[in-house]
Amino acid sequence: MRINQTILEHLQALEPNATFSGSGSRVHSSSGKSYFCKIGTSLDTEQYAGEARALDLMHQAARGLAPQLYAYGISGGFPYFISQYLDMGSYLSDHAARRLAKRLATELHQFKDPEGRGFGFDVPTHCGATRVERGWFGTWEECFGGMMRQLLDGLARKGSGEVVKVGDQVVQRVIPAILGNLEVEPVLVHGDLWTGNAGVDQHTGEPVIFDPAAFYGHNEFELAIARMFGGFPPTFFSAYKTLYPPAEPKSEFQQRAELYETYHYLNHALIFGGGYAGQAVSRMKRLLRYVDKDEDSSSD
């Protein structure tokens, strides 16, 4: 299969004395290296830009934790992307899970925006198929509330009545109550860290994460989708919490976890439909009951 000329020129700049061959998205170099190369349509331009920006920052924050980006651009109206190719296995052993927890807690989740712009991101990103408008916010409450509102607006356009009605109450009442007084710093998060976006480098045994929906947010948000679909052993969560303890109030860690999980259930409802909306509603109603109980006790 003939390699796209723009891609080939970038590869030749990286390795002037090498020859290249490949098919699909994997390109082999005569040096023994492999590259992940893809070309999108004009509709993919924004998504490619968001992924490239995220991988570049993740490489700065935690070198080797995500595939290194080598080139990104637009040629003839089509976006292209070149990164490191890694042979990965999908199973996270206890050792790899603990290593991942450590690298997240001590590297990625310690990385702050060099310009100090707050919570958010400078370009839109995609969480699965969902485009997430970003921008910058002074508080995590505002940032997360805006993220939730985007999903609810998308579900409203699909006619998802009950989930939107309950979600509106969560945005208005639960988010201010649980996140309003939370003092956390914006740190770089992967943003979509489920088991399908994590693996183990077959050559080094080190954990690798990919397909980010990155932004600067509350580090605990990262743990939400990791809990939802399995694949991350208990050692991952225990090791992480040892290195990066929950924010104060620690007593509301579980409520924050359910709130962040709700975001991903709503996103899955928007993308796939099915029972995800019901799962989101059950969590949101539980959070509303928690806030109501808290309000009742404070008024006694």
Side-chain angles (χ1 to χ4, degrees):
M1 182 176 178
R2 185 172 179 269
I3 301 172
N4 174 274
Q5 185 61 32
T6 300
I7 296 265
L8 182 59
E9 289 173 1
H10 277 288
L11 293 175
Q12 289 171 334
L14 288 168
E15 295 191 67
N17 299 317
T19 57
F20 301 93
S21 62
S23 60
S25 59
R26 184 173 186 176
V27 174
H28 302 274
S29 164
S30 57
S31 69
K33 294 181 179 180
S34 292
Y35 298 88
F36 179 73
C37 307
K38 61 180 182 178
I39 299 174
T41 71
S42 57
L43 298 177
D44 299 320
T45 299
E46 194 174 62
Q47 185 169 359
Y48 274 48
E51 183 176 359
R53 177 66 174 147
L55 285 179
D56 185 48
L57 288 170
M58 289 168 68
H59 181 69
Q60 294 180 45
R63 189 177 296 265
L65 182 59
Q68 183 177 356
L69 177 72
Y70 294 122
Y72 155 76
I74 300 172
S75 177
F78 301 108
Y80 63 87
F81 182 100
I82 305 172
S83 73
Q84 181 183 18
Y85 185 95
L86 297 171
D87 287 308
M88 286 184 289
S90 58
Y91 174 70
L92 275 178
S93 65
D94 280 345
H95 169 74
R98 285 193 296 270
R99 283 286 296 157
L100 177 57
K102 181 177 181 180
R103 299 210 66 188
L104 291 174
T106 64
E107 296 177 68
L108 190 68
H109 294 168
Q110 298 298 324
F111 189 83
K112 301 175 179 64
D113 175 42
E115 298 180 42
R117 289 170 287 185
F119 295 89
F121 209 53
D122 48 2
V123 296
T125 57
H126 284 69
C127 189
T130 302
R131 178 187 185 273
V132 186
E133 183 65 51
R134 292 300 182 184
W136 296 100
F137 301 87
T139 68
W140 174 233
E141 176 190 352
E142 293 175 298
C143 180
F144 185 73
M147 290 163 57
M148 287 281 284
R149 174 53 57 198
Q150 288 181 59
L151 294 181
L152 293 170
D153 288 347
L155 287 162
R157 289 191 291 271
K158 286 193 167 187
S160 303
E162 183 189 14
V163 69
V164 174
K165 183 178 178 181
V166 178
D168 286 340
Q169 288 298 305
V170 168
V171 170
Q172 294 168 24
R173 296 167 51 208
V174 174
I175 291 178
I178 292 179
L179 303 184
N181 295 319
L182 193 66
E183 294 187 9
V184 294
E185 291 187 294
V187 297
L188 187 64
V189 297
H190 175 284
D192 190 19
L193 192 60
W194 69 292
T195 185
N197 288 340
V200 177
D201 187 319
Q202 300 282 59
H203 298 291
T204 66
E206 288 293 303
V208 181
I209 58 178
F210 47 93
D211 287 348
F215 67 102
Y216 293 94
H218 183 197
N219 68 294
E220 290 176 17
F221 178 85
E222 194 84 284
L223 307 179
I225 197 169
R227 282 186 297 267
M228 288 165 56
F229 302 117
F232 287 82
T235 48
F236 168 79
F237 299 100
S238 59
Y240 184 90
K241 289 172 75 173
T242 298
L243 293 164
Y244 204 140
E248 294 290 352
K250 293 181 181 179
S251 61
E252 289 191 334
F253 175 80
Q254 182 58 36
Q255 285 70 39
R256 294 194 297 269
E258 291 202 355
L259 182 58
Y260 300 157
E261 287 171 14
T262 296
Y263 175 85
H264 291 291
Y265 279 116
L266 288 173
N267 188 40
H268 277 65
L270 182 61
I271 298 170
F272 304 111
Y276 292 113
Q279 291 173 294
V281 168
S282 66
R283 279 163 176 74
M284 291 192 292
K285 287 183 175 179
R286 188 157 57 239
L287 288 165
L288 285 164
R289 288 194 296 271
Y290 172 80
V291 170
D292 288 342
K293 177 187 171 191
D294 199 44
E295 289 175 350
D296 289 343
S297 63
S298 65
S299 63
D300 290 341

